[in-house]
Amino acid sequence: MTQTPAQIAATYFEAWKAKDFDNLASILHEDATFRGPLGTADSGEECVAGLKGMSQIVTDIDIAHVFVDGPNVLTWFDLHTSIAPPAPTANWQRIEDGKITEIRVTFDPRAIVEAG
């Protein structure tokens, strides 16, 4: 049974929090792209590598709300890290044929950059 975009987005965050990068890789399209204030990626493999790196400082992902519009999922959450105060974050994903094809993230990275 094919998962809904909301279920796939939930799996993304659950896998990231659990550092289950094999599960995370399984829901990313091989050509998935990522754009955010701290980096970019142009393949599913690069996306996983970036999330692995970020997971070294992430202590929690506190999801406040998930908005779903067809294949588009926008997740609003507080990104907790070991080096900076929580950062209110928006994560938009486009999901096609059961795989995440695009991820766009926005937050104010100044506290993380200054601490790093």
Side-chain angles (χ1 to χ4, degrees):
M1 183 173 166
T2 303
Q3 291 186 308
T4 67
Q7 291 169 323
I8 292 168
T11 297
Y12 170 92
F13 286 102
E14 291 163 6
W16 185 18
K17 284 175 69 168
K19 297 181 169 103
D20 182 354
F21 297 108
D22 289 336
N23 193 23
L24 189 76
S26 76
I27 59 168
L28 292 172
H29 189 277
E30 66 181 29
D31 295 324
T33 60
F34 173 90
R35 300 291 181 267
L38 297 177
T40 63
D42 291 309
S43 70
E45 187 176 318
E46 288 180 15
C47 289
V48 171
L51 289 166
K52 279 183 181 178
M54 190 71 178
S55 73
Q56 294 176 20
I57 62 166
V58 171
T59 59
D60 197 12
I61 300 166
D62 186 17
I63 296 174
H65 199 79
V66 178
F67 303 88
V68 180
D69 181 19
N72 300 290
V73 180
L74 178 70
T75 305
W76 179 257
F77 62 97
D78 285 326
L79 179 67
H80 294 258
T81 69
S82 59
I83 62 171
T89 304
N91 174 300
W92 168 78
Q93 300 175 3
R94 179 150 184 94
I95 299 163
E96 299 174 358
D97 298 323
K99 300 279 186 178
I100 299 170
T101 59
E102 294 179 73
I103 305 166
R104 301 295 178 265
V105 175
T106 189
F107 64 91
D108 182 348
R110 290 177 291 186
I112 293 173
V113 170
E114 290 169 5

